[in-house]
Amino acid sequence: DRVSGYRATRARERGRKSMHVFYCRWAGDLLGESAEGALQQKRRTYALADAKPHFAPDRPCDIVHIALTLQLDIAQQSLRGTCATTVRAVQEAVPGLTLDAVDLQIIQVRQAGGAILPYDYDGQRLRLTFSEPLQRGMPATVEVDYSVTKPRLGLYFITPDAAYPHKPVQVWSQCQDEDARYWFPCFDAPNEKATTEMTVTVPQPYFALSNGTLLSTTRDEAAGTITYHWLQDQPHATYLMTLVVGEFSERTEMVDRLPVQWYVMPARE
């Protein structure tokens, strides 16, 4: 019995090795390599030959919370608003903060409480200086008033055109992996995560969807607008920050006693 068990084990090992050689030979044929070369190499280099190392940016501060207050002008494909970023210093004596911000119109930068902050902006990055250096562990909130028209990436305004005159009006974001910087100033790196908040004002009758929980909806009949206030209390990367605007039908289903809302275009329920 012991001899039979040994022979069975050896047979299984030979079978696995044969299959391994077969698949390596098959892969080698596809890649123009010999079976022996495929076995020795085991895997091909993932990066392209001319690829350069790409490292995460320095983190002098931890990004704690991002709060956007936005007003959309869909007809002009533009938005204006304020981005309030709360940080906590992780290094000693942090003099300032650098935020990614591409092709934005920077109006004013201030620290929460009203102190105007000096800044430098080159169209790619916003470098601001705190009123006094932040010591390790100290929090601060920086508010940036800005606007942007027809962002190149990150946020897309969809409107009717000559080729598609009945196209529904919509606005939607797609920031993966570093495109959030095209519509609001931020530390735009996937390794940085923060809670987020969005208060967005849109023309009636449009609905605005964002991350997390809808805290409030406020109508201004005189201005013909609706303001939606969303809060996401789970930290996440900037590329996951979502804004979707349009006319939608809302449906709610219960899943394990949890209400789940979903939205579709009218008549497509």
Side-chain angles (χ1 to χ4, degrees):
D1 290 340
R2 183 179 300 176
V3 172
S4 298
Y6 172 77
R7 289 175 176 172
T9 300
R10 293 291 296 167
R12 285 195 297 270
E13 290 177 351
R14 286 194 299 271
R16 282 197 295 266
K17 185 174 180 181
S18 297
M19 289 299 295
H20 183 54
V21 171
F22 168 76
Y23 281 116
C24 285
R25 182 177 292 114
W26 178 70
D29 291 342
L30 290 177
L31 299 173
E33 299 175 344
S34 66
E36 291 76 12
L39 278 170
Q40 290 175 1
Q41 188 176 7
K42 294 186 179 179
R43 64 181 179 86
R44 294 175 63 85
T45 302
Y46 177 78
L48 298 175
D50 59 349
K52 297 179 180 179
H54 184 73
F55 302 101
D58 264 352
R59 285 180 69 249
C61 295
D62 179 35
I63 309 299
V64 178
H65 186 68
I66 300 171
L68 294 178
T69 303
L70 307 175
Q71 184 157 356
L72 270 62
D73 186 335
I74 298 177
Q76 297 299 318
Q77 300 189 22
S78 67
L79 67 84
R80 58 183 175 85
T82 300
C83 177
T85 304
T86 300
V87 303
R88 182 178 292 109
V90 296
Q91 298 179 4
E92 294 291 349
V94 178
L97 182 66
T98 298
L99 298 174
D100 299 296
V102 179
D103 297 337
L104 307 182
Q105 298 297 317
I106 305 299
I107 300 168
Q108 187 182 83
V109 179
R110 60 185 175 275
Q111 206 155 332
I116 304 300
L117 299 180
Y119 67 89
D120 176 69
Y121 181 54
D122 62 3
Q124 298 291 317
R125 289 180 175 82
L126 175 65
R127 300 174 177 85
L128 57 94
T129 303
F130 296 125
S131 52
E132 56 183 60
L134 289 185
Q135 300 306 314
R136 180 178 294 178
M138 285 184 58
T141 298
V142 175
E143 299 174 346
V144 180
D145 296 334
Y146 74 102
S147 66
V148 59
T149 300
K150 296 181 180 180
R152 284 196 286 133
L153 294 168
L155 188 69
Y156 303 88
F157 289 81
I158 311 302
T159 56
D161 54 34
Y164 194 170
H166 302 296
K167 182 186 299 183
V169 173
Q170 294 180 355
V171 180
W172 44 264
S173 59
Q174 205 306 101
C175 302
Q176 194 172 8
D177 52 357
E178 295 180 346
D179 288 353
R181 64 188 69 190
Y182 289 90
W183 63 285
F184 66 93
C186 57
F187 191 90
D188 198 15
N191 63 309
E192 183 64 75
K193 297 175 176 61
T195 57
T196 62
E197 190 171 358
M198 193 175 300
T199 304
V200 55
T201 300
V202 297
Q204 295 187 26
Y206 298 122
F207 173 73
L209 173 70
S210 190
N211 306 83
T213 302
L214 179 60
L215 299 182
S216 66
T217 302
T218 306
R219 287 179 173 270
D220 186 335
E221 299 298 346
T225 60
I226 312 177
T227 299
Y228 299 89
H229 184 189
W230 293 85
L231 175 65
Q232 173 57 281
D233 59 5
Q234 298 297 315
H236 59 107
T238 50
Y239 74 77
L240 293 174
M241 287 188 70
T242 298
L243 176 60
V244 178
V245 178
E247 291 190 72
F248 301 104
S249 293
E250 177 184 340
R251 293 292 182 270
T252 301
E253 294 184 1
M254 300 300 294
V255 179
D256 295 333
R257 294 182 295 178
L258 178 70
V260 177
Q261 285 83 27
W262 49 277
Y263 304 87
V264 296
M265 293 176 60
R268 292 193 176 182
E269 296 86 346

